[in-house]
Amino acid sequence: MFGQVGRAGARTVAHALAVVVAAGALTLSGPGTPRADAASVCSGRPAKTVTFATGELRVYKNRTHACALTIAKKPGARRAMSVSLQPRGGRPVVDSGKFVQQAGPVTAYALNRCVRASGSIAGAKVSTGWILCR
């Protein structure tokens, strides 16, 4: 394939080609590229979305687990955000801190269980109550 180059030379050429391909991929998807839609973060189908003044709380469900995240309407400066997901009879799973765009995702086992999700952004809070009870 590489003619007179030899095995060591072929390896060097292959390595250089891999570096060029990786650099091209970074250029196309580099830090200036916006993040993928938050829906791709949680697996499963959208189960509930609750909007409030500063953002929205999204809950997703697959066969065995529920997933939740809180997303800011306007990403910007870091601000206090949190998301909590609690299966009935279990302890809440929480992600809280100062974030730019979203808190979460948090995931909890929810096979044959109701779950309750809540979220907050900069003091505005929302909760779903018990949902997904089947």
Side-chain angles (χ1 to χ4, degrees):
M1 174 174 161
F2 292 102
Q4 303 281 332
V5 176
R7 190 175 277 178
R11 219 177 288 136
T12 303
V13 170
H15 184 309
L17 182 60
V19 169
V20 168
V21 169
L26 285 174
T27 301
L28 293 175
S29 66
T33 305
R35 268 180 35 181
D37 182 26
S40 64
V41 175
C42 288
S43 67
R45 63 178 171 76
K48 181 114 178 152
T49 299
V50 182
T51 58
F52 57 108
T54 53
E56 62 185 26
L57 170 65
R58 295 182 187 175
V59 181
Y60 297 83
K61 174 84 167 100
N62 66 26
R63 194 177 80 73
T64 59
H65 289 80
C67 178
L69 54 135
T70 302
I71 302 170
K73 273 187 185 172
K74 295 181 181 178
R78 291 189 178 275
R79 58 190 163 227
M81 292 187 194
S82 71
V83 63
S84 172
L85 182 64
Q86 179 182 9
R88 189 173 293 229
R91 292 193 171 152
V93 181
V94 179
D95 182 26
S96 64
K98 292 193 177 225
F99 304 108
V100 173
Q101 184 171 4
Q102 77 178 40
V106 293
T107 304
Y109 182 76
L111 182 65
N112 300 322
R113 290 184 178 190
C114 302
V115 296
R116 174 173 53 194
S118 61
S120 70
I121 300 174
K125 299 177 183 179
V126 70
S127 179
T128 62
W130 292 109
I131 59 172
L132 308 177
C133 303
R134 294 184 191 186

